[in-house]
Amino acid sequence: MPPMRRPGLQDLRSLGVAAVAGVLTGIVVAGLGGRLVMKVIALAAGPSAVGRVTGNGNTVGDLTLEGTLALVVFNGIFEGLVGGLLYLALRPWLTPLRGWGGLAFGVAVLALMGHVVLEPDNFDFRVFGSVGLSVGLFASLFLLYGVVIAPVFERVASAAGRSRAAAVLAWLGVVPAMPVIALGIGRTDAGLLGLDHGSRPVR
């Protein structure tokens, strides 16, 4: 292989490593961890909350396989993938922080993306238990994601360098990563051009 192509291939494999590490971390932290947080909030809200319907149409107290799978797929896999790619982008600045890099990344993700989840005026936060408890628990998931993905990324990268199966998995991770990056670039370009969701100029 020509030396000129090596850096490009290494970067591409790092993209796959980030995708795999992000999904694994997302499934555990955002998916299963999110389910646990919701259960804690439901318990804190007391028996009066059981049977009530949340803003997403879920019934408090119903721990269903479908609901858990939805959290794992949409929160765990997709958001985990996005988080993994973001970690790869910020990794050069996080590496010098050594053991604190993961926590710093969690803080950065909380600052950048926390507004998507942490809305004090959210219907569920106001109705089911304490707003402070709900916001605090969900905020902790962002920090935990950062703390977990840092060592997971290093382990996946190390495994991909030693094991053929892990290397293949890392390369497969490139497949879902590319459309996510393309989507992110498209949304960024639309924002720079002043286009709204309907692709019309914002006046």
Side-chain angles (χ1 to χ4, degrees):
M1 183 179 298
M4 290 294 291
R5 295 183 60 189
R6 262 182 210 280
L9 290 177
Q10 290 174 354
D11 291 340
L12 196 60
R13 191 174 74 170
S14 294
L15 194 66
V17 168
V20 173
V23 168
L24 292 176
T25 305
I27 289 175
V28 175
V29 176
L32 301 179
R35 172 59 87 182
L36 179 60
V37 163
M38 292 178 184
K39 186 62 177 179
V40 172
I41 293 174
L43 292 174
S48 60
V50 176
R52 302 188 65 175
V53 179
T54 68
N56 292 329
N58 301 315
T59 302
V60 177
D62 288 350
L63 188 60
T64 63
L65 178 61
E66 293 80 3
T68 301
L69 288 177
L71 281 175
V72 168
V73 172
F74 294 105
N75 291 7
I77 296 180
F78 180 74
E79 294 179 6
L81 174 59
V82 173
L85 298 178
L86 182 59
Y87 177 79
L88 180 63
L90 297 179
R91 188 166 174 264
W93 291 273
L94 298 171
T95 301
L97 300 178
R98 298 182 182 274
W100 295 98
L103 181 59
F105 176 68
V107 172
V109 174
L110 178 59
L112 291 172
M113 305 174 63
H115 67 279
V116 177
V117 177
L118 307 180
E119 300 177 5
D121 292 333
N122 184 290
F123 171 80
D124 294 342
F125 287 176
R126 289 185 286 107
V127 173
F128 303 109
S130 166
V131 173
L133 175 65
S134 300
V135 171
L137 287 175
F138 278 108
S140 69
L141 291 179
F142 288 89
L143 303 180
L144 183 60
Y145 181 90
V147 171
V148 173
I149 193 176
V152 170
F153 179 93
E154 299 302 329
R155 287 180 179 274
V156 173
S158 176
R162 293 181 285 103
S163 166
R164 182 183 297 273
V168 171
L169 182 62
W171 282 110
L172 290 176
V174 177
V175 176
M178 297 305 292
V180 171
I181 293 175
L183 178 61
I185 293 175
R187 291 177 65 89
T188 301
D189 290 343
L192 293 175
L193 293 174
L195 301 178
D196 60 12
H197 295 295
S199 298
R200 292 175 298 181
V202 178
R203 300 181 184 279

